[in-house]
Amino acid sequence: MNTRNDSYRARKTIYTTLLWIILGGLVIAQLFPLLWVASYSLQKSGDLFGPELFKLPKEPQWQNYLRAWKDGKIPAYLLNTLKIVIPSVTGATLLSFGLAYACTRMEWKMKPLAWFFVTIGLTIPIHTTLLPNFIWYRFFGLIDTHLGLIISYIAFSLSFNTIVFSGLLAGIPKSMEESAFIDGAGYGRILSQIIAPMAATGFATVGVQTFLNHWNEFIMANTYLASEIKRTLPFSIIRFQGEYSSDYAVQFACMTLVALPPLVLYFIFNRWILAGVTAGAVKG
C-alpha cells in the first residue's frame, strides 16, 4: 500500500514539475518581447545591431521617449485614437450584448439566420472587406473620417463579442426575467437592471478585448484615413521609418508608449477578464 502511495506521489511531483516548467516557459515567451522592446527603446540606434539577443542599455537614452512623444505626434494621435476607440468599444459591447440576449433568451423566426450571420462573421478576414468597404465608404462620404473606422470596428467585433456574451447569458436562470415580466418590467429595465449586473464579468472581458483590438488596429486605419490630422497611434511608429533607414530605437520607444495604456487596463481588469472567460467557457 505504501509503495502505491509513494509511486502516486512521485508521479504527481513529476507532473507538477513539468506543468510549472511549461507554464514558466509560456510566461517567458510572453514577457520577453515586451522586455526586449523596452530595453532596446533605451539604446542608441547604432547599438541595436549586434550578436546579443538581449542586452541592457549601459547609458539609457531617455531622449528617445521625448523624441517619440514630440516627433511621433503621440498627443494628437492619442486624441484621435480615443475619439474612435471609445465610441467603437461602447457600441460593439452594447450591441453584442443586446444581440446575444436576443439570440439566447428570446424566441423569434429569424433567430437561426441571425446565429448564421454571427458565426459567418468569425470567418471573414479583414483584408477581403477593405476594397468593397472602401467603395461603399467613398459613395457615402465616409473615407477619411473617424465614423468610417468606428463602423468597421463595431462590425468586426460583433460576432466574437456576441458569442462571449451568449455563453454567460446561457447560465442565467430565466425565472428572474419571468418574475420581472410578471411585475410589469419591460425589456429595457430587465436588460439594464437585472441581466447586465449579472453579466458584469462579460462586460469587462468583452470591453477590454475589444479595446485592445481597436487600439492596435492599423490595416483599416491605413486604408480609410488619408489626412495626417486624423490618423491614430499606430501611425506614430512609422513616422520614424525612412526610405533608406529607420530610427529603430525611437520606434521601439513609440511601441512602448503605445503599449502602456492597454497593459495597464489589462492588469486592472485582469481578475474580471479571467472570471468572464471561465464563466463563458463553462456555461457556453
Side-chain angles (χ1 to χ4, degrees), residues 103-116:
C103 289
T104 57
R105 317 287 287 190
M106 302 171 64
E107 296 297 332
W108 41 294
K109 291 182 179 181
M110 305 298 290
K111 180 177 174 179
L113 184 62
W115 266 123
F116 172 78

PDB file of all heavy atoms in Angstrom, residues 103-116:
ATOM      1  N   CYS A 103     -30.531  36.324 -29.053  1.00  0.00           N
ATOM      2  CA  CYS A 103     -30.259  35.003 -29.629  1.00  0.00           C
ATOM      3  C   CYS A 103     -30.290  33.880 -28.595  1.00  0.00           C
ATOM      4  O   CYS A 103     -30.392  32.705 -28.973  1.00  0.00           O
ATOM      5  CB  CYS A 103     -28.902  35.007 -30.336  1.00  0.00           C
ATOM      6  SG  CYS A 103     -28.863  35.971 -31.866  1.00  0.00           S
ATOM      7  N   THR A 104     -30.179  34.213 -27.337  1.00  0.00           N
ATOM      8  CA  THR A 104     -30.132  33.161 -26.308  1.00  0.00           C
ATOM      9  C   THR A 104     -31.364  33.143 -25.406  1.00  0.00           C
ATOM     10  O   THR A 104     -31.691  32.088 -24.850  1.00  0.00           O
ATOM     11  CB  THR A 104     -28.884  33.328 -25.419  1.00  0.00           C
ATOM     12  OG1 THR A 104     -28.889  34.639 -24.832  1.00  0.00           O
ATOM     13  CG2 THR A 104     -27.614  33.138 -26.236  1.00  0.00           C
ATOM     14  N   ARG A 105     -32.060  34.266 -25.272  1.00  0.00           N
ATOM     15  CA  ARG A 105     -33.157  34.330 -24.305  1.00  0.00           C
ATOM     16  C   ARG A 105     -34.525  34.532 -24.944  1.00  0.00           C
ATOM     17  O   ARG A 105     -35.538  34.412 -24.261  1.00  0.00           O
ATOM     18  CB  ARG A 105     -32.923  35.491 -23.312  1.00  0.00           C
ATOM     19  CG  ARG A 105     -31.500  35.611 -22.814  1.00  0.00           C
ATOM     20  CD  ARG A 105     -31.131  34.536 -21.854  1.00  0.00           C
ATOM     21  NE  ARG A 105     -31.769  34.717 -20.563  1.00  0.00           N
ATOM     22  CZ  ARG A 105     -31.458  34.019 -19.482  1.00  0.00           C
ATOM     23  NH1 ARG A 105     -30.520  33.089 -19.557  1.00  0.00           N
ATOM     24  NH2 ARG A 105     -32.086  34.229 -18.343  1.00  0.00           N
ATOM     25  N   MET A 106     -34.560  34.860 -26.220  1.00  0.00           N
ATOM     26  CA  MET A 106     -35.825  35.164 -26.886  1.00  0.00           C
ATOM     27  C   MET A 106     -36.081  34.167 -28.015  1.00  0.00           C
ATOM     28  O   MET A 106     -35.138  33.569 -28.555  1.00  0.00           O
ATOM     29  CB  MET A 106     -35.812  36.597 -27.444  1.00  0.00           C
ATOM     30  CG  MET A 106     -35.565  37.670 -26.388  1.00  0.00           C
ATOM     31  SD  MET A 106     -35.301  39.322 -27.097  1.00  0.00           S
ATOM     32  CE  MET A 106     -36.908  39.613 -27.864  1.00  0.00           C
ATOM     33  N   GLU A 107     -37.337  34.007 -28.377  1.00  0.00           N
ATOM     34  CA  GLU A 107     -37.725  33.131 -29.475  1.00  0.00           C
ATOM     35  C   GLU A 107     -38.360  33.964 -30.580  1.00  0.00           C
ATOM     36  O   GLU A 107     -39.325  34.681 -30.350  1.00  0.00           O
ATOM     37  CB  GLU A 107     -38.724  32.067 -28.981  1.00  0.00           C
ATOM     38  CG  GLU A 107     -38.169  31.101 -27.943  1.00  0.00           C
ATOM     39  CD  GLU A 107     -37.034  30.253 -28.478  1.00  0.00           C
ATOM     40  OE1 GLU A 107     -37.003  30.009 -29.712  1.00  0.00           O
ATOM     41  OE2 GLU A 107     -36.176  29.833 -27.678  1.00  0.00           O
ATOM     42  N   TRP A 108     -37.771  33.910 -31.785  1.00  0.00           N
ATOM     43  CA  TRP A 108     -38.287  34.652 -32.924  1.00  0.00           C
ATOM     44  C   TRP A 108     -37.881  33.934 -34.201  1.00  0.00           C
ATOM     45  O   TRP A 108     -36.945  33.131 -34.216  1.00  0.00           O
ATOM     46  CB  TRP A 108     -37.794  36.106 -32.918  1.00  0.00           C
ATOM     47  CG  TRP A 108     -36.353  36.270 -32.534  1.00  0.00           C
ATOM     48  CD1 TRP A 108     -35.791  36.012 -31.324  1.00  0.00           C
ATOM     49  CD2 TRP A 108     -35.291  36.742 -33.375  1.00  0.00           C
ATOM     50  NE1 TRP A 108     -34.444  36.286 -31.345  1.00  0.00           N
ATOM     51  CE2 TRP A 108     -34.109  36.740 -32.575  1.00  0.00           C
ATOM     52  CE3 TRP A 108     -35.208  37.173 -34.697  1.00  0.00           C
ATOM     53  CZ2 TRP A 108     -32.881  37.149 -33.076  1.00  0.00           C
ATOM     54  CZ3 TRP A 108     -33.990  37.597 -35.189  1.00  0.00           C
ATOM     55  CH2 TRP A 108     -32.846  37.568 -34.382  1.00  0.00           C
ATOM     56  N   LYS A 109     -38.577  34.199 -35.278  1.00  0.00           N
ATOM     57  CA  LYS A 109     -38.425  33.424 -36.511  1.00  0.00           C
ATOM     58  C   LYS A 109     -37.032  33.529 -37.129  1.00  0.00           C
ATOM     59  O   LYS A 109     -36.508  32.547 -37.656  1.00  0.00           O
ATOM     60  CB  LYS A 109     -39.469  33.874 -37.536  1.00  0.00           C
ATOM     61  CG  LYS A 109     -40.907  33.510 -37.167  1.00  0.00           C
ATOM     62  CD  LYS A 109     -41.857  33.942 -38.270  1.00  0.00           C
ATOM     63  CE  LYS A 109     -43.301  33.557 -37.923  1.00  0.00           C
ATOM     64  NZ  LYS A 109     -44.252  33.952 -38.983  1.00  0.00           N
ATOM     65  N   MET A 110     -36.439  34.709 -37.082  1.00  0.00           N
ATOM     66  CA  MET A 110     -35.159  34.926 -37.757  1.00  0.00           C
ATOM     67  C   MET A 110     -33.961  34.584 -36.880  1.00  0.00           C
ATOM     68  O   MET A 110     -32.827  34.865 -37.249  1.00  0.00           O
ATOM     69  CB  MET A 110     -35.064  36.390 -38.196  1.00  0.00           C
ATOM     70  CG  MET A 110     -36.218  36.849 -39.067  1.00  0.00           C
ATOM     71  SD  MET A 110     -36.297  35.923 -40.634  1.00  0.00           S
ATOM     72  CE  MET A 110     -34.847  36.540 -41.458  1.00  0.00           C
ATOM     73  N   LYS A 111     -34.202  33.963 -35.749  1.00  0.00           N
ATOM     74  CA  LYS A 111     -33.113  33.649 -34.824  1.00  0.00           C
ATOM     75  C   LYS A 111     -32.047  32.731 -35.442  1.00  0.00           C
ATOM     76  O   LYS A 111     -30.847  33.015 -35.321  1.00  0.00           O
ATOM     77  CB  LYS A 111     -33.690  33.024 -33.560  1.00  0.00           C
ATOM     78  CG  LYS A 111     -32.658  32.639 -32.515  1.00  0.00           C
ATOM     79  CD  LYS A 111     -33.338  32.104 -31.267  1.00  0.00           C
ATOM     80  CE  LYS A 111     -32.342  31.581 -30.257  1.00  0.00           C
ATOM     81  NZ  LYS A 111     -33.006  31.080 -29.026  1.00  0.00           N
ATOM     82  N   PRO A 112     -32.394  31.628 -36.121  1.00  0.00           N
ATOM     83  CA  PRO A 112     -31.355  30.795 -36.754  1.00  0.00           C
ATOM     84  C   PRO A 112     -30.537  31.555 -37.790  1.00  0.00           C
ATOM     85  O   PRO A 112     -29.319  31.361 -37.887  1.00  0.00           O
ATOM     86  CB  PRO A 112     -32.157  29.655 -37.398  1.00  0.00           C
ATOM     87  CG  PRO A 112     -33.436  29.603 -36.633  1.00  0.00           C
ATOM     88  CD  PRO A 112     -33.736  31.018 -36.265  1.00  0.00           C
ATOM     89  N   LEU A 113     -31.198  32.439 -38.551  1.00  0.00           N
ATOM     90  CA  LEU A 113     -30.474  33.232 -39.547  1.00  0.00           C
ATOM     91  C   LEU A 113     -29.512  34.202 -38.863  1.00  0.00           C
ATOM     92  O   LEU A 113     -28.385  34.412 -39.339  1.00  0.00           O
ATOM     93  CB  LEU A 113     -31.469  33.992 -40.427  1.00  0.00           C
ATOM     94  CG  LEU A 113     -30.863  34.805 -41.576  1.00  0.00           C
ATOM     95  CD1 LEU A 113     -30.134  33.889 -42.550  1.00  0.00           C
ATOM     96  CD2 LEU A 113     -31.959  35.604 -42.291  1.00  0.00           C
ATOM     97  N   ALA A 114     -29.950  34.783 -37.751  1.00  0.00           N
ATOM     98  CA  ALA A 114     -29.076  35.693 -37.009  1.00  0.00           C
ATOM     99  C   ALA A 114     -27.836  34.960 -36.498  1.00  0.00           C
ATOM    100  O   ALA A 114     -26.711  35.469 -36.605  1.00  0.00           O
ATOM    101  CB  ALA A 114     -29.843  36.318 -35.845  1.00  0.00           C
ATOM    102  N   TRP A 115     -28.036  33.742 -35.965  1.00  0.00           N
ATOM    103  CA  TRP A 115     -26.896  32.957 -35.498  1.00  0.00           C
ATOM    104  C   TRP A 115     -25.968  32.588 -36.655  1.00  0.00           C
ATOM    105  O   TRP A 115     -24.747  32.527 -36.487  1.00  0.00           O
ATOM    106  CB  TRP A 115     -27.383  31.690 -34.804  1.00  0.00           C
ATOM    107  CG  TRP A 115     -27.514  31.814 -33.328  1.00  0.00           C
ATOM    108  CD1 TRP A 115     -28.617  31.605 -32.574  1.00  0.00           C
ATOM    109  CD2 TRP A 115     -26.476  32.164 -32.408  1.00  0.00           C
ATOM    110  NE1 TRP A 115     -28.353  31.806 -31.241  1.00  0.00           N
ATOM    111  CE2 TRP A 115     -27.039  32.151 -31.110  1.00  0.00           C
ATOM    112  CE3 TRP A 115     -25.126  32.496 -32.550  1.00  0.00           C
ATOM    113  CZ2 TRP A 115     -26.307  32.450 -29.974  1.00  0.00           C
ATOM    114  CZ3 TRP A 115     -24.396  32.803 -31.406  1.00  0.00           C
ATOM    115  CH2 TRP A 115     -24.987  32.771 -30.148  1.00  0.00           C
ATOM    116  N   PHE A 116     -26.556  32.351 -37.822  1.00  0.00           N
ATOM    117  CA  PHE A 116     -25.748  32.037 -39.008  1.00  0.00           C
ATOM    118  C   PHE A 116     -24.821  33.202 -39.342  1.00  0.00           C
ATOM    119  O   PHE A 116     -23.627  33.014 -39.592  1.00  0.00           O
ATOM    120  CB  PHE A 116     -26.668  31.715 -40.184  1.00  0.00           C
ATOM    121  CG  PHE A 116     -25.945  31.577 -41.495  1.00  0.00           C
ATOM    122  CD1 PHE A 116     -25.239  30.421 -41.796  1.00  0.00           C
ATOM    123  CD2 PHE A 116     -25.969  32.606 -42.432  1.00  0.00           C
ATOM    124  CE1 PHE A 116     -24.570  30.286 -43.002  1.00  0.00           C
ATOM    125  CE2 PHE A 116     -25.304  32.475 -43.637  1.00  0.00           C
ATOM    126  CZ  PHE A 116     -24.599  31.321 -43.923  1.00  0.00           C
TER     127      PHE A 116
END
